Amino acid sequence: QVQLQESGPRLVKPSETLSLNCTVSGYSISSGYYWGWIRQPPGKGLEWIGNVYHSGNTYYSPSLKSRVTISVDTSKNQFSLKLTSATAADTAMYYCARDDGYYYDWGQGTLVTVSS
Amino acid sequence: EIVLTQSPGTLSLSPGERATLSCRASQSVRSNYLAWYQQKPGQTPRLLIYGASTRATGIPDRFSGSGSGTDFTLTISRLEPEDFAVYYCQQYGSPPWTFGQGTKVEIK
């Protein structure tokens, strides 16, 4: 069974870069599938951020595209999210997940707060 | 970008009743690539349905999905106490993938 675990700073200052990693176990990223990031502001709905294929091909949400980079490190069996110029509006629970288009396997999520 | 609109925003029902949740897309969802999720407070979303009507592994058969094109429905035939939660639809037919805003099913 695929397991995913998010890691990274829980507190980010405004204007700085939000960076998260997702470590995958039970499956080799280089074998295939897209791998995605989804976020959920407190008390609000789910927002798709983007995804990455093991080859490095990516898709991003148009609303975040100018600030987002998702990349993959097959040697570490990890993929990562970088969101530049963070603001309070980026405060959210961030989930990583295996992307079959739909999401069956999710990480537990990590709450990132953007505040000075 | 396909916009998904879920209705109603909140559904107040009693255990044992039937729940019907709607998800309408701003344009046709390619190949009916539409998924439904359940989320309880403090928990990760749980996949219920994909491909508009295929139940995910381990999902009880009281959950069913239907629809095509722009109109999709999630039906819970008889609500169990553990079914009171927020439900989201998501399309993955055309990037970017998008989610609906959610329907809360609450105890009446």
Side-chain angles (χ1 to χ4, degrees), chain A residues 34 38 40 44-49 51 59-63 93 95 99-104 106-109, chain B residues 1 35 37 39 42-47 49-51 56-58 88 90-92 95-101:
Chain A
Y34 275 85
I38 300 108
Q40 185 171 35
K44 296 188 177 181
L46 300 168
E47 179 183 16
W48 187 76
I49 299 172
N51 60 19
Y59 288 100
Y60 298 133
S61 168
S63 65
M93 184 72 79
Y95 297 100
D99 189 323
D100 293 290
Y102 54 86
Y103 297 98
Y104 182 79
W106 296 68
Q108 65 185 25
Chain B
E1 172 175 329
Y37 301 85
Q39 188 178 34
Q43 294 187 16
T44 301
R46 175 193 183 196
L47 177 69
I49 301 284
Y50 61 93
T57 303
Y88 296 95
Q90 178 229 339
Q91 69 81 24
Y92 53 99
W97 307 159
T98 49
F99 288 91
Q101 82 280 17

Short mmCIF file of all heavy atoms in Angstrom, two decimals, chain A residues 34 38 40 44-49 51 59-63 93 95 99-104 106-109, chain B residues 1 35 37 39 42-47 49-51 56-58 88 90-92 95-101:
data_model
loop_
_atom_site.label_atom_id
_atom_site.label_comp_id
_atom_site.label_asym_id
_atom_site.label_seq_id
_atom_site.Cartn_x
_atom_site.Cartn_y
_atom_site.Cartn_z
N TYR A 34 1.16 10.22 -11.74
CA TYR A 34 1.34 11.59 -11.34
C TYR A 34 1.24 11.65 -9.82
O TYR A 34 0.67 10.76 -9.17
CB TYR A 34 0.25 12.48 -11.97
CG TYR A 34 0.57 12.94 -13.37
CD1 TYR A 34 0.29 12.14 -14.48
CD2 TYR A 34 1.16 14.18 -13.59
CE1 TYR A 34 0.59 12.57 -15.76
CE2 TYR A 34 1.47 14.62 -14.87
CZ TYR A 34 1.18 13.80 -15.95
OH TYR A 34 1.48 14.22 -17.21
N ILE A 38 -2.68 19.24 -2.92
CA ILE A 38 -4.00 19.83 -2.72
C ILE A 38 -3.92 20.59 -1.40
O ILE A 38 -3.24 20.15 -0.46
CB ILE A 38 -5.10 18.74 -2.61
CG1 ILE A 38 -5.14 17.91 -3.90
CG2 ILE A 38 -6.46 19.34 -2.32
CD1 ILE A 38 -4.59 16.51 -3.73
N GLN A 40 -6.18 23.09 1.69
CA GLN A 40 -7.49 23.39 2.26
C GLN A 40 -7.32 24.44 3.35
O GLN A 40 -6.86 24.13 4.46
CB GLN A 40 -8.12 22.12 2.83
CG GLN A 40 -9.53 22.30 3.35
CD GLN A 40 -10.18 20.98 3.69
OE1 GLN A 40 -9.53 20.04 4.16
NE2 GLN A 40 -11.49 20.89 3.47
N LYS A 44 -12.48 25.86 5.04
CA LYS A 44 -12.90 26.03 3.65
C LYS A 44 -12.75 24.73 2.86
O LYS A 44 -12.44 23.68 3.43
CB LYS A 44 -12.09 27.16 3.00
CG LYS A 44 -12.34 28.51 3.65
CD LYS A 44 -11.68 29.63 2.87
CE LYS A 44 -12.01 30.99 3.51
NZ LYS A 44 -11.38 32.12 2.76
N GLY A 45 -12.98 24.82 1.57
CA GLY A 45 -12.97 23.64 0.72
C GLY A 45 -11.58 23.31 0.19
O GLY A 45 -10.58 23.94 0.49
N LEU A 46 -11.57 22.26 -0.64
CA LEU A 46 -10.33 21.74 -1.22
C LEU A 46 -9.95 22.55 -2.46
O LEU A 46 -10.79 22.89 -3.28
CB LEU A 46 -10.51 20.27 -1.60
CG LEU A 46 -10.86 19.33 -0.45
CD1 LEU A 46 -11.32 17.97 -0.99
CD2 LEU A 46 -9.67 19.15 0.48
N GLU A 47 -8.67 22.80 -2.60
CA GLU A 47 -8.14 23.52 -3.77
C GLU A 47 -6.99 22.71 -4.37
O GLU A 47 -6.03 22.39 -3.69
CB GLU A 47 -7.65 24.92 -3.39
CG GLU A 47 -7.07 25.69 -4.57
CD GLU A 47 -6.53 27.04 -4.21
OE1 GLU A 47 -6.29 27.32 -3.02
OE2 GLU A 47 -6.33 27.86 -5.13
N TRP A 48 -7.11 22.42 -5.65
CA TRP A 48 -6.06 21.69 -6.35
C TRP A 48 -4.92 22.66 -6.67
O TRP A 48 -5.14 23.75 -7.19
CB TRP A 48 -6.62 21.10 -7.63
CG TRP A 48 -5.69 20.20 -8.37
CD1 TRP A 48 -5.35 18.92 -8.03
CD2 TRP A 48 -4.99 20.50 -9.57
NE1 TRP A 48 -4.48 18.41 -8.97
CE2 TRP A 48 -4.24 19.36 -9.93
CE3 TRP A 48 -4.91 21.62 -10.40
CZ2 TRP A 48 -3.43 19.29 -11.06
CZ3 TRP A 48 -4.12 21.56 -11.54
CH2 TRP A 48 -3.38 20.41 -11.85
N ILE A 49 -3.68 22.25 -6.35
CA ILE A 49 -2.52 23.09 -6.59
C ILE A 49 -1.82 22.69 -7.89
O ILE A 49 -1.49 23.52 -8.74
CB ILE A 49 -1.52 23.01 -5.43
CG1 ILE A 49 -2.17 23.49 -4.13
CG2 ILE A 49 -0.26 23.80 -5.74
CD1 ILE A 49 -1.32 23.25 -2.89
N ASN A 51 0.28 19.00 -10.12
CA ASN A 51 0.86 17.66 -10.03
C ASN A 51 2.10 17.55 -10.89
O ASN A 51 2.43 18.45 -11.68
CB ASN A 51 -0.18 16.59 -10.40
CG ASN A 51 -0.73 16.73 -11.80
OD1 ASN A 51 -0.14 17.38 -12.64
ND2 ASN A 51 -1.88 16.11 -12.07
N TYR A 59 1.56 19.97 -14.22
CA TYR A 59 0.38 20.79 -14.46
C TYR A 59 0.15 21.61 -13.20
O TYR A 59 0.32 21.10 -12.09
CB TYR A 59 -0.86 19.94 -14.73
CG TYR A 59 -0.88 19.26 -16.07
CD1 TYR A 59 -0.54 17.92 -16.19
CD2 TYR A 59 -1.27 19.94 -17.22
CE1 TYR A 59 -0.58 17.28 -17.42
CE2 TYR A 59 -1.31 19.31 -18.45
CZ TYR A 59 -0.96 17.98 -18.54
OH TYR A 59 -0.99 17.35 -19.76
N TYR A 60 -0.27 22.87 -13.37
CA TYR A 60 -0.51 23.75 -12.23
C TYR A 60 -1.87 24.41 -12.33
O TYR A 60 -2.41 24.64 -13.42
CB TYR A 60 0.55 24.85 -12.16
CG TYR A 60 1.97 24.37 -11.97
CD1 TYR A 60 3.00 24.89 -12.75
CD2 TYR A 60 2.28 23.42 -11.00
CE1 TYR A 60 4.31 24.47 -12.57
CE2 TYR A 60 3.59 22.99 -10.82
CZ TYR A 60 4.59 23.51 -11.60
OH TYR A 60 5.89 23.09 -11.43
N SER A 61 -2.42 24.76 -11.16
CA SER A 61 -3.62 25.58 -11.14
C SER A 61 -3.30 26.95 -11.74
O SER A 61 -2.29 27.57 -11.37
CB SER A 61 -4.09 25.76 -9.70
OG SER A 61 -5.07 26.76 -9.63
N PRO A 62 -4.14 27.44 -12.64
CA PRO A 62 -3.86 28.76 -13.25
C PRO A 62 -3.74 29.88 -12.21
O PRO A 62 -2.95 30.81 -12.39
CB PRO A 62 -5.07 28.99 -14.16
CG PRO A 62 -5.56 27.63 -14.48
CD PRO A 62 -5.32 26.81 -13.25
N SER A 63 -4.50 29.76 -11.13
CA SER A 63 -4.49 30.83 -10.13
C SER A 63 -3.20 30.87 -9.32
O SER A 63 -2.89 31.88 -8.69
CB SER A 63 -5.69 30.68 -9.19
OG SER A 63 -5.58 29.49 -8.44
N MET A 93 -4.10 23.67 5.26
CA MET A 93 -3.62 22.30 5.36
C MET A 93 -3.18 21.90 3.95
O MET A 93 -3.95 22.05 3.00
CB MET A 93 -4.74 21.39 5.84
CG MET A 93 -4.31 19.96 6.07
SD MET A 93 -3.29 19.77 7.52
CE MET A 93 -4.55 19.81 8.80
N TYR A 95 -1.95 18.88 1.52
CA TYR A 95 -1.93 17.43 1.36
C TYR A 95 -1.15 17.06 0.11
O TYR A 95 -1.29 17.71 -0.93
CB TYR A 95 -3.35 16.89 1.17
CG TYR A 95 -4.32 17.08 2.31
CD1 TYR A 95 -5.25 18.11 2.29
CD2 TYR A 95 -4.32 16.20 3.39
CE1 TYR A 95 -6.17 18.26 3.32
CE2 TYR A 95 -5.23 16.35 4.43
CZ TYR A 95 -6.15 17.38 4.38
OH TYR A 95 -7.05 17.53 5.41
N ASP A 99 -1.75 10.81 -7.70
CA ASP A 99 -2.71 11.40 -8.63
C ASP A 99 -3.04 10.41 -9.75
O ASP A 99 -2.27 10.23 -10.69
CB ASP A 99 -2.11 12.69 -9.19
CG ASP A 99 -3.10 13.51 -9.99
OD1 ASP A 99 -3.93 12.90 -10.72
OD2 ASP A 99 -3.03 14.74 -9.95
N ASP A 100 -4.21 9.78 -9.63
CA ASP A 100 -4.74 8.96 -10.71
C ASP A 100 -5.77 9.76 -11.49
O ASP A 100 -6.58 9.19 -12.23
CB ASP A 100 -5.43 7.71 -10.13
CG ASP A 100 -4.46 6.78 -9.46
OD1 ASP A 100 -3.65 6.15 -10.18
OD2 ASP A 100 -4.50 6.68 -8.22
N GLY A 101 -5.68 11.07 -11.32
CA GLY A 101 -6.77 11.95 -11.73
C GLY A 101 -7.60 12.18 -10.48
O GLY A 101 -7.77 13.29 -10.01
N TYR A 102 -8.10 11.10 -9.95
CA TYR A 102 -8.73 11.13 -8.62
C TYR A 102 -7.66 10.76 -7.58
O TYR A 102 -6.55 10.33 -7.93
CB TYR A 102 -9.91 10.17 -8.58
CG TYR A 102 -9.58 8.76 -8.99
CD1 TYR A 102 -9.09 7.84 -8.09
CD2 TYR A 102 -9.76 8.35 -10.32
CE1 TYR A 102 -8.77 6.55 -8.48
CE2 TYR A 102 -9.44 7.07 -10.71
CZ TYR A 102 -8.96 6.18 -9.79
OH TYR A 102 -8.64 4.91 -10.18
N TYR A 103 -8.03 10.91 -6.31
CA TYR A 103 -7.04 10.71 -5.24
C TYR A 103 -7.53 9.65 -4.26
O TYR A 103 -8.48 9.88 -3.52
CB TYR A 103 -6.79 12.04 -4.52
CG TYR A 103 -6.20 13.08 -5.43
CD1 TYR A 103 -6.99 14.05 -6.02
CD2 TYR A 103 -4.83 13.06 -5.72
CE1 TYR A 103 -6.44 15.00 -6.87
CE2 TYR A 103 -4.28 14.00 -6.57
CZ TYR A 103 -5.08 14.96 -7.14
OH TYR A 103 -4.54 15.89 -7.99
N TYR A 104 -6.85 8.52 -4.26
CA TYR A 104 -7.18 7.45 -3.32
C TYR A 104 -6.20 7.48 -2.14
O TYR A 104 -6.58 7.36 -0.99
CB TYR A 104 -7.14 6.09 -4.02
CG TYR A 104 -7.51 4.94 -3.13
CD1 TYR A 104 -8.83 4.66 -2.81
CD2 TYR A 104 -6.52 4.14 -2.56
CE1 TYR A 104 -9.18 3.61 -1.98
CE2 TYR A 104 -6.85 3.09 -1.72
CZ TYR A 104 -8.18 2.83 -1.44
OH TYR A 104 -8.51 1.80 -0.61
N TRP A 106 -3.65 9.45 0.16
CA TRP A 106 -3.34 10.80 0.63
C TRP A 106 -2.32 10.75 1.77
O TRP A 106 -2.28 9.80 2.54
CB TRP A 106 -4.59 11.48 1.20
CG TRP A 106 -5.71 11.73 0.27
CD1 TRP A 106 -6.51 10.79 -0.34
CD2 TRP A 106 -6.21 12.99 -0.15
NE1 TRP A 106 -7.46 11.40 -1.11
CE2 TRP A 106 -7.31 12.75 -1.01
CE3 TRP A 106 -5.85 14.32 0.12
CZ2 TRP A 106 -8.04 13.79 -1.61
CZ3 TRP A 106 -6.57 15.35 -0.47
CH2 TRP A 106 -7.66 15.08 -1.32
N GLY A 107 -1.53 11.82 1.90
CA GLY A 107 -0.78 12.02 3.11
C GLY A 107 -1.73 12.50 4.19
O GLY A 107 -2.90 12.81 3.93
N GLN A 108 -1.23 12.56 5.42
CA GLN A 108 -2.08 12.99 6.53
C GLN A 108 -2.31 14.50 6.52
O GLN A 108 -3.21 15.00 7.20
CB GLN A 108 -1.47 12.58 7.87
CG GLN A 108 -0.15 13.26 8.18
CD GLN A 108 0.49 12.74 9.46
OE1 GLN A 108 0.24 11.61 9.87
NE2 GLN A 108 1.32 13.56 10.09
N GLY A 109 -1.51 15.23 5.75
CA GLY A 109 -1.64 16.67 5.68
C GLY A 109 -0.77 17.37 6.70
O GLY A 109 -0.46 16.83 7.77
N GLU B 1 -10.89 26.40 -17.57
CA GLU B 1 -11.01 25.68 -16.30
C GLU B 1 -12.48 25.33 -16.05
O GLU B 1 -13.36 26.18 -16.22
CB GLU B 1 -10.47 26.56 -15.16
CG GLU B 1 -10.70 26.02 -13.77
CD GLU B 1 -10.03 26.87 -12.70
OE1 GLU B 1 -8.98 27.48 -12.98
OE2 GLU B 1 -10.56 26.90 -11.58
N ALA B 35 -15.12 12.48 -9.62
CA ALA B 35 -14.95 11.75 -8.38
C ALA B 35 -15.70 12.43 -7.25
O ALA B 35 -15.99 13.63 -7.31
CB ALA B 35 -13.47 11.66 -8.02
N TYR B 37 -15.74 12.68 -2.83
CA TYR B 37 -15.00 12.45 -1.61
C TYR B 37 -15.88 12.78 -0.41
O TYR B 37 -16.74 13.66 -0.48
CB TYR B 37 -13.75 13.35 -1.54
CG TYR B 37 -12.78 13.15 -2.67
CD1 TYR B 37 -12.95 13.83 -3.87
CD2 TYR B 37 -11.71 12.28 -2.54
CE1 TYR B 37 -12.09 13.65 -4.92
CE2 TYR B 37 -10.82 12.10 -3.60
CZ TYR B 37 -11.02 12.79 -4.78
OH TYR B 37 -10.15 12.61 -5.82
N GLN B 39 -15.40 13.99 3.65
CA GLN B 39 -14.43 14.49 4.61
C GLN B 39 -15.12 14.78 5.94
O GLN B 39 -16.09 15.53 6.00
CB GLN B 39 -13.72 15.75 4.12
CG GLN B 39 -12.57 16.17 5.03
CD GLN B 39 -11.82 17.39 4.54
OE1 GLN B 39 -12.40 18.29 3.93
NE2 GLN B 39 -10.51 17.42 4.80
N GLY B 42 -11.31 17.20 10.84
CA GLY B 42 -10.00 16.77 11.27
C GLY B 42 -9.44 15.58 10.52
O GLY B 42 -8.39 15.05 10.90
N GLN B 43 -10.13 15.13 9.47
CA GLN B 43 -9.68 13.96 8.73
C GLN B 43 -9.33 14.31 7.28
O GLN B 43 -9.78 15.32 6.73
CB GLN B 43 -10.76 12.87 8.75
CG GLN B 43 -11.02 12.30 10.13
CD GLN B 43 -11.97 11.10 10.08
OE1 GLN B 43 -12.20 10.50 9.04
NE2 GLN B 43 -12.50 10.75 11.24
N THR B 44 -8.55 13.43 6.69
CA THR B 44 -8.21 13.52 5.28
C THR B 44 -9.42 13.14 4.44
O THR B 44 -10.21 12.27 4.85
CB THR B 44 -7.06 12.55 4.99
OG1 THR B 44 -5.94 12.91 5.81
CG2 THR B 44 -6.65 12.58 3.54
N PRO B 45 -9.60 13.77 3.28
CA PRO B 45 -10.70 13.34 2.40
C PRO B 45 -10.56 11.85 2.03
O PRO B 45 -9.46 11.34 1.89
CB PRO B 45 -10.50 14.22 1.16
CG PRO B 45 -9.83 15.44 1.68
CD PRO B 45 -8.90 14.94 2.75
N ARG B 46 -11.70 11.23 1.86
CA ARG B 46 -11.77 9.80 1.55
C ARG B 46 -12.46 9.64 0.21
O ARG B 46 -13.57 10.13 0.03
CB ARG B 46 -12.56 9.09 2.64
CG ARG B 46 -12.84 7.60 2.43
CD ARG B 46 -13.90 7.18 3.44
NE ARG B 46 -14.21 5.76 3.39
CZ ARG B 46 -15.30 5.22 3.94
NH1 ARG B 46 -16.16 5.99 4.59
NH2 ARG B 46 -15.51 3.93 3.87
N LEU B 47 -11.81 8.97 -0.72
CA LEU B 47 -12.40 8.74 -2.03
C LEU B 47 -13.57 7.79 -1.93
O LEU B 47 -13.44 6.69 -1.38
CB LEU B 47 -11.35 8.18 -2.99
CG LEU B 47 -11.83 7.83 -4.39
CD1 LEU B 47 -12.18 9.09 -5.18
CD2 LEU B 47 -10.78 7.01 -5.15
N ILE B 49 -16.14 7.63 -4.86
CA ILE B 49 -16.57 7.30 -6.22
C ILE B 49 -15.57 7.90 -7.21
O ILE B 49 -15.10 9.02 -7.01
CB ILE B 49 -17.96 7.89 -6.53
CG1 ILE B 49 -19.02 7.38 -5.55
CG2 ILE B 49 -18.37 7.63 -7.98
CD1 ILE B 49 -19.50 5.96 -5.79
N TYR B 50 -15.25 7.16 -8.27
CA TYR B 50 -14.49 7.73 -9.39
C TYR B 50 -15.14 7.27 -10.69
O TYR B 50 -15.98 6.35 -10.69
CB TYR B 50 -13.01 7.34 -9.33
CG TYR B 50 -12.74 5.85 -9.42
CD1 TYR B 50 -12.48 5.24 -10.64
CD2 TYR B 50 -12.74 5.06 -8.27
CE1 TYR B 50 -12.25 3.88 -10.72
CE2 TYR B 50 -12.50 3.71 -8.34
CZ TYR B 50 -12.26 3.12 -9.56
OH TYR B 50 -12.02 1.77 -9.63
N GLY B 51 -14.79 7.95 -11.76
CA GLY B 51 -15.43 7.62 -13.03
C GLY B 51 -16.94 7.79 -12.99
O GLY B 51 -17.68 7.09 -13.66
N ALA B 56 -15.04 3.24 -4.88
CA ALA B 56 -13.66 2.93 -4.51
C ALA B 56 -13.64 1.71 -3.58
O ALA B 56 -14.67 1.32 -3.02
CB ALA B 56 -13.03 4.14 -3.83
N THR B 57 -12.46 1.15 -3.43
CA THR B 57 -12.29 -0.03 -2.59
C THR B 57 -12.79 0.22 -1.18
O THR B 57 -12.44 1.22 -0.55
CB THR B 57 -10.81 -0.44 -2.54
OG1 THR B 57 -10.34 -0.67 -3.87
CG2 THR B 57 -10.62 -1.68 -1.70
N GLY B 58 -13.64 -0.69 -0.69
CA GLY B 58 -14.10 -0.61 0.68
C GLY B 58 -15.27 0.31 0.93
O GLY B 58 -15.70 0.45 2.09
N TYR B 88 -17.36 16.37 -1.38
CA TYR B 88 -16.83 17.16 -2.48
C TYR B 88 -16.84 16.36 -3.77
O TYR B 88 -16.55 15.16 -3.76
CB TYR B 88 -15.37 17.57 -2.21
CG TYR B 88 -15.17 18.48 -1.03
CD1 TYR B 88 -14.84 17.96 0.21
CD2 TYR B 88 -15.29 19.86 -1.16
CE1 TYR B 88 -14.64 18.80 1.31
CE2 TYR B 88 -15.10 20.70 -0.08
CZ TYR B 88 -14.78 20.15 1.15
OH TYR B 88 -14.58 21.00 2.22
N GLN B 90 -15.06 16.30 -7.70
CA GLN B 90 -13.82 16.72 -8.35
C GLN B 90 -13.81 16.20 -9.78
O GLN B 90 -14.16 15.04 -10.00
CB GLN B 90 -12.60 16.17 -7.61
CG GLN B 90 -11.26 16.53 -8.24
CD GLN B 90 -10.34 15.32 -8.41
OE1 GLN B 90 -10.50 14.29 -7.75
NE2 GLN B 90 -9.35 15.44 -9.29
N GLN B 91 -13.42 17.04 -10.73
CA GLN B 91 -13.31 16.56 -12.11
C GLN B 91 -11.83 16.41 -12.46
O GLN B 91 -10.99 17.22 -12.05
CB GLN B 91 -14.04 17.49 -13.08
CG GLN B 91 -13.43 18.85 -13.29
CD GLN B 91 -12.25 18.85 -14.28
OE1 GLN B 91 -12.14 17.99 -15.13
NE2 GLN B 91 -11.38 19.85 -14.15
N TYR B 92 -11.54 15.37 -13.21
CA TYR B 92 -10.17 15.13 -13.67
C TYR B 92 -10.17 14.78 -15.15
O TYR B 92 -9.32 14.04 -15.64
CB TYR B 92 -9.49 14.03 -12.83
CG TYR B 92 -10.25 12.73 -12.73
CD1 TYR B 92 -9.91 11.65 -13.54
CD2 TYR B 92 -11.28 12.58 -11.82
CE1 TYR B 92 -10.60 10.45 -13.45
CE2 TYR B 92 -11.97 11.38 -11.73
CZ TYR B 92 -11.63 10.32 -12.53
OH TYR B 92 -12.33 9.14 -12.44
N PRO B 95 -7.29 19.20 -17.44
CA PRO B 95 -6.52 20.01 -16.49
C PRO B 95 -6.82 21.50 -16.66
O PRO B 95 -7.11 21.93 -17.79
CB PRO B 95 -5.06 19.69 -16.88
CG PRO B 95 -5.12 19.21 -18.30
CD PRO B 95 -6.46 18.59 -18.50
N PRO B 96 -6.82 22.25 -15.58
CA PRO B 96 -6.50 21.83 -14.21
C PRO B 96 -7.65 21.07 -13.57
O PRO B 96 -8.83 21.37 -13.81
CB PRO B 96 -6.28 23.16 -13.50
CG PRO B 96 -7.21 24.10 -14.20
CD PRO B 96 -7.18 23.70 -15.65
N TRP B 97 -7.32 20.06 -12.75
CA TRP B 97 -8.37 19.39 -11.98
C TRP B 97 -9.02 20.45 -11.08
O TRP B 97 -8.35 21.40 -10.63
CB TRP B 97 -7.80 18.29 -11.11
CG TRP B 97 -6.94 17.23 -11.70
CD1 TRP B 97 -6.06 16.45 -11.01
CD2 TRP B 97 -6.83 16.79 -13.07
NE1 TRP B 97 -5.44 15.56 -11.85
CE2 TRP B 97 -5.88 15.75 -13.12
CE3 TRP B 97 -7.47 17.17 -14.26
CZ2 TRP B 97 -5.54 15.07 -14.30
CZ3 TRP B 97 -7.12 16.52 -15.44
CH2 TRP B 97 -6.18 15.49 -15.46
N THR B 98 -10.30 20.30 -10.80
CA THR B 98 -11.00 21.25 -9.95
C THR B 98 -11.96 20.52 -9.01
O THR B 98 -12.45 19.43 -9.34
CB THR B 98 -11.79 22.27 -10.78
OG1 THR B 98 -12.58 21.59 -11.78
CG2 THR B 98 -10.87 23.27 -11.46
N PHE B 99 -12.20 21.15 -7.87
CA PHE B 99 -13.12 20.63 -6.87
C PHE B 99 -14.35 21.53 -6.79
O PHE B 99 -14.27 22.74 -7.02
CB PHE B 99 -12.47 20.63 -5.48
CG PHE B 99 -11.39 19.58 -5.29
CD1 PHE B 99 -10.07 19.88 -5.56
CD2 PHE B 99 -11.71 18.31 -4.83
CE1 PHE B 99 -9.06 18.94 -5.38
CE2 PHE B 99 -10.72 17.35 -4.64
CZ PHE B 99 -9.40 17.67 -4.92
N GLY B 100 -15.48 20.92 -6.41
CA GLY B 100 -16.63 21.71 -6.03
C GLY B 100 -16.41 22.29 -4.64
O GLY B 100 -15.47 21.94 -3.94
N GLN B 101 -17.33 23.15 -4.23
CA GLN B 101 -17.16 23.86 -2.96
C GLN B 101 -17.64 23.04 -1.76
O GLN B 101 -17.42 23.44 -0.62
CB GLN B 101 -17.90 25.21 -3.00
CG GLN B 101 -19.39 25.15 -2.71
CD GLN B 101 -20.25 24.72 -3.89
OE1 GLN B 101 -19.77 24.15 -4.87
NE2 GLN B 101 -21.54 25.00 -3.78
#
